[in-house]
Amino acid sequence: MRVHLPLVLAVLGLSGLFNPVRAQDAPGAAAATAAPGVAAPGGDVNALRGKRAFQRYCVVCHGARGEGGIGPTLQGVATRLGEDAIRHQVHEPRGTMPRLYPSPVDEPMLGDLVAFLSQLK
């Protein structure tokens, strides 16, 4: 039986069983790795938390670096569309994008995701 890795990763990612977290993403590393202008943990938004959410919920369709795959590229999406359009797409998904709001992606997590997506170039 031949198993397709993208399909396996998609199933694991959607089930929440696959959540790759690197050492620099570990709790406590956020203050050292948060992007300039982005609040540290406990603040309003945090790109590091957004990266973790991206890895958990978005990477399966949009690629590990936002390069696209099943879903469109997200590199430069904040420049092309702006934060309001990103929020609208998550609130009211079009096309084949799954509904992730308000669960598992709530409003604070969406702010973190937008902060992370704003860094993708």
Side-chain angles (χ1 to χ4, degrees):
M1 179 172 89
R2 187 172 170 190
V3 177
H4 294 279
L5 183 59
L7 179 60
V8 170
L9 292 176
V11 170
L12 291 174
L14 293 175
S15 69
L17 295 175
F18 178 70
N19 187 13
V21 177
R22 299 179 321 193
Q24 65 265 32
D25 297 339
T33 59
V38 177
D44 294 332
V45 295
N46 181 279
L48 181 60
R49 289 190 308 254
K51 179 179 181 179
R52 286 191 214 121
F54 181 85
Q55 289 172 333
R56 185 164 189 173
Y57 301 114
C58 310
V59 75
V60 171
C61 295
H62 295 286
R65 294 173 304 282
E67 71 276 11
I70 297 169
T73 182
L74 295 180
Q75 294 173 345
V77 69
T79 303
R80 286 193 318 272
L81 301 178
E83 290 183 11
D84 289 340
I86 294 169
R87 289 176 178 279
H88 181 73
Q89 176 63 20
V90 175
H91 285 155
E92 301 292 330
R94 296 179 309 253
T96 59
M97 182 169 163
R99 180 168 294 282
L100 299 172
Y101 181 87
S103 177
V105 177
D106 59 11
E107 202 59 42
M109 186 182 295
L110 180 54
D112 295 340
L113 272 168
V114 170
F116 173 71
L117 292 174
S118 295
Q119 296 180 350
L120 290 181
K121 305 292 180 208

